[in-house]
Amino acid sequence: MILFATPIWASELTHAIDNLEGEWAKVYYQNDESLQRKAYPALIDKAAELGKRFPRAAEPKIWQATIIATNAEFQSSLDALASLRTAKGLLEEAIALQPEALDGAAYVTLGTLYYMAPGWPISFGDNQLAEQMLKASLKINPNGIDANYFYADYLLQQDRSAEAEEYLRKAVQAPLRKNQYFADSQLQNEAKLALTNTQQRKSNTGKNKFQAIFTTATYSAD
């Protein structure tokens, strides 16, 4: 029985994580905010319950953190900051348990939180730690769409567009995972758009100031 328990446990966990990811992606990549407000709390509860069933697994913690962080958009400022701290703690626990889980997704998400969250004294935002986490994810999964896209996004935030272009190209060329096809295809579309906009901004060098401002404003609106 012990010999068969681990494969069955792993299969059950994988199936549950795939379902949770699929549900989250359908909610995240659509424009109905009222639906998102209703759906995220239920998904957070579902991820928490999965964490209770598999307390030594990193994957439920990663997804619980991801959903908590995306739900923060719909919370008050104080509640959102508390949610980001909760997500950060879950990701740190996941890394301590299994840093390579989900191809280093905990590093990707934690790195993203570090560069998106406000800095001290408001919150824990830290660009240097963000880069460390995102580079750690790339060591684990150098050709992954998530790792390349979010490191590129970080570089764009730091006005390092020449470096970002390399990673956006990798994200555009990354193979789409069968079990995450919808989410990967959506993220790859975002990578293509970001790459196009980065190239357009580069071509604007030397053009008049108002043309450059217009291009930047269009990029921000997208």
Side-chain angles (χ1 to χ4, degrees), residues 191-207:
K192 291 175 182 176
L193 179 60
L195 180 60
T196 298
N197 287 324
T198 300
Q199 292 169 335
Q200 286 176 347
R201 287 202 305 276
K202 186 168 66 176
S203 70
N204 279 332
T205 302
K207 292 185 178 181

Side-chain angles (χ1 to χ4, degrees), residues 14-130:
T14 299
H15 181 69
I17 290 295
D18 286 348
N19 285 341
L20 185 62
E21 185 278 333
E23 290 182 53
W24 172 85
K26 288 179 182 178
V27 175
Y28 182 75
Y29 288 108
Q30 52 84 39
N31 298 316
D32 188 342
E33 290 191 1
S34 62
L35 187 153
Q36 291 174 324
R37 288 177 184 274
K38 293 176 182 178
Y40 282 140
L43 288 176
I44 290 170
D45 290 342
K46 191 170 184 177
E49 181 60 32
L50 190 61
K52 291 178 182 178
R53 286 171 54 200
F54 300 96
R56 299 299 299 167
E59 293 88 345
K61 295 180 185 297
I62 294 170
W63 271 105
Q64 189 179 355
T66 299
I67 301 166
I68 287 172
T70 50
N71 183 58
E73 178 184 356
F74 302 107
Q75 297 179 302
S76 68
S77 296
L78 289 177
D79 287 343
L81 290 174
S83 291
L84 294 181
R85 286 193 293 270
T86 299
K88 175 177 176 287
L90 286 164
L91 293 166
E92 289 169 341
E93 291 175 19
I95 290 170
L97 284 170
Q98 189 182 356
E100 296 186 359
L102 299 178
D103 294 324
Y107 284 114
V108 177
T109 308
L110 184 55
T112 303
L113 290 183
Y114 270 123
Y115 78 82
M116 289 189 172
W120 188 90
I122 298 173
S123 190
F124 57 83
D126 186 312
N127 287 333
Q128 289 185 336
L129 286 175

